[in-house]
Amino acid sequence: ARLMIIPFAVIMTWAAYLNMASTWQAVLPTIDWGRIGYIYLSICLCGMIMLFYLVSNLVYEFRRSPVSSTKK
């Protein structure tokens, strides 16, 4: 199941980065100091954290899995 989430997280993170870069200068109409790029920055950071967590758990599970030994 985790392997299926990784492509989604990569696409989400990359799209958030592209949107952040293109809307960084756009100001929110109700908040003068707020930028729309800040919203996409938070999505991008959350995607990176999610990818780190998924990959680290996959590495942990592969290292922890027992090696199949053949006994005669």
Side-chain angles (χ1 to χ4, degrees), residues 21-63:
S22 66
T23 61
W24 189 256
Q25 295 299 322
V27 178
L28 290 167
T30 56
I31 304 172
D32 292 337
W33 55 267
R35 305 251 185 248
I36 296 175
Y38 295 167
I39 297 168
Y40 291 114
L41 174 65
S42 65
I43 296 170
C44 186
L45 290 174
C46 289
M48 284 189 244
I49 292 168
M50 186 167 52
L51 280 169
F52 175 76
Y53 176 77
L54 287 169
V55 171
S56 65
N57 274 339
L58 281 173
V59 168
Y60 174 74
E61 285 181 7
F62 283 128
R63 287 184 180 173

